Amino acid sequence: MEPFKVHILGCGSALPTLRHNPSSQVVEIREKQFMIDCGEGTQTQMRRSRVGFNKVMAIFISHIHGDHCFGLIGMLSSFGLLGRTMPLSIYGPKELGPILDTLLTTFCNDFDYEIKFHAVDTSRQEVVYEDRSLTVETIPLKHRLPCAGYLFREKPTLPHIRRDMIDFYRIPISQINNIKNGASWIDEEGNVIPNSRLTRPADPPRSYAYCSDTCYLPGLADRLKDVTCLYHESTYADEDEDKAQKYFHSTARQAAMVARDAGVGRLLLGHYSSKYNTEDVLLQQAKEVFAESSLTSEGMVVTL
């Protein structure tokens, strides 16, 4: 099975602390890397996590609150200083476009790589990126500014060849691709060897959803059905549900309700308020609703 990992670079909220950095993650899938959000300090976190700067193919920004994008221009500048030549695509709400243009003109006007900005519609769920191995969809969220989450879906792979059967029936290597694509084999005596005997089922496609920042949206579960792993903001505990409602954030319990209703495989909690000295209460309240809940922390690598 090809690697599908999520590197947690920052899982705090607006105010950086000595325990947590602002939001940023890198999704690594089939030797490609994609960044989600780029809060202050992301570059340092990448170095600590040994995530390569030159492998990032695209950056997805959820919204233009500072704790999700203050690190972006510094990151782009470092890419240039490191001699990057590969084009870079940036996806985010349309409001990010003019801000990005001003910053690039001021600080990054002499680098040797092209930056392409793609405005996303935060009100619709649609595919905004696609290549041979995956798609990335937007997830409409509800926050104080236009905001979108991102859903990474691995494309189905071909079945696995049973090497023992290939050798037993003396099937030429030239026929392997045909068999992977569903062909059976006819031996020298005219017997049909069914494809099911020559292959094992492909690995089930995996998926990862990133939802930060948003108030509790009961209908969000319908957009996340059976996702392998969900990261959902859990800024507050139950005692601060009024603050969550006021600032369009979610509690850990509400995040767990979304995970439960969507039938996801695993819930990752993050975007913690700086008021908490420990997130144990958030984890406890989430687990009361959805047992497969866990806290994120900087440097953590989640393998799907």
Side-chain angles (χ1 to χ4, degrees), residues 185-193:
W185 174 251
I186 302 176
D187 65 17
E188 295 177 354
E189 298 176 358
N191 299 312
V192 177
I193 314 303

Side-chain angles (χ1 to χ4, degrees), residues 126-159:
E126 59 183 347
V127 174
V128 294
Y129 175 90
E130 183 173 11
D131 62 27
R132 294 177 61 184
S133 57
L134 82 153
T135 61
V136 183
E137 303 171 34
T138 50
I139 307 170
L141 301 175
K142 188 175 182 180
H143 193 44
R144 302 194 304 278
L145 290 175
C147 185
Y150 295 98
L151 174 53
F152 292 73
R153 293 188 189 273
E154 185 179 36
K155 288 185 176 180
T157 56
L158 295 175

Side-chain angles (χ1 to χ4, degrees), residues 79-298:
F79 285 165
L81 293 172
L82 290 169
R84 183 187 181 106
T85 57
M86 180 176 66
L88 176 71
S89 289
I90 299 176
Y91 298 80
K94 63 182 180 184
E95 292 81 4
L96 177 61
I99 299 171
L100 187 59
D101 285 342
T102 298
L103 291 172
L104 291 175
T105 299
T106 305
F107 299 108
C108 304
N109 56 7
D110 59 349
F111 294 142
D112 297 325
Y113 73 101
E114 180 183 6
I115 297 172
K116 302 176 183 178
F117 176 69
H118 305 266
V120 303
D121 185 343
T122 59
S123 67
R124 298 176 55 192
Q125 183 161 0
E126 59 183 347
V127 174
V128 294
Y129 175 90
E130 183 173 11
D131 62 27
R132 294 177 61 184
S133 57
L134 82 153
T135 61
V136 183
E137 303 171 34
T138 50
I139 307 170
L141 301 175
K142 188 175 182 180
H143 193 44
R144 302 194 304 278
L145 290 175
C147 185
Y150 295 98
L151 174 53
F152 292 73
R153 293 188 189 273
E154 185 179 36
K155 288 185 176 180
T157 56
L158 295 175
H160 298 286
I161 289 291
R162 290 191 58 182
R163 190 74 225 185
D164 57 336
M165 292 293 99
I166 297 299
D167 293 341
F168 180 80
Y169 290 108
R170 298 179 181 178
I171 300 173
I173 298 298
S174 61
Q175 297 303 308
I176 295 296
N177 284 338
N178 291 335
I179 292 171
K180 278 191 172 185
N181 283 286
S184 296
W185 174 251
I186 302 176
D187 65 17
E188 295 177 354
E189 298 176 358
N191 299 312
V192 177
I193 314 303
N195 182 270
S196 59
R197 188 179 299 176
L198 304 173
T199 61
R200 289 184 292 104
D203 299 318
R206 296 159 291 180
S207 51
Y208 175 68
Y210 173 91
C211 295
S212 183
D213 299 12
T214 184
C215 63
Y216 172 56
L217 297 173
L220 180 59
D222 293 333
R223 301 182 184 274
L224 304 173
K225 287 295 183 184
D226 301 322
V227 163
T228 307
C229 183
L230 165 65
Y231 175 92
H232 192 295
E233 75 131 279
S234 51
T235 308
Y236 293 110
D238 289 349
E239 66 191 58
D240 292 313
E241 186 174 350
D242 56 335
K243 290 184 179 180
Q245 184 175 1
K246 178 179 179 181
Y247 297 114
F248 289 82
H249 283 297
S250 298
T251 65
R253 185 179 302 274
Q254 290 170 337
M257 291 164 62
V258 172
R260 177 198 63 196
D261 296 345
V264 307
R266 180 179 180 184
L267 171 64
L268 303 177
L269 305 173
H271 200 267
Y272 316 122
S273 170
S274 61
K275 71 171 291 183
Y276 304 113
N277 292 323
T278 172
E279 289 80 42
D280 290 347
V281 63
L282 302 178
L283 181 60
Q284 176 185 346
Q285 292 172 2
K287 279 183 169 290
E288 290 173 0
V289 176
F290 187 73
E292 296 302 318
S293 301
S294 58
L295 298 171
T296 55
S297 59
E298 285 74 6

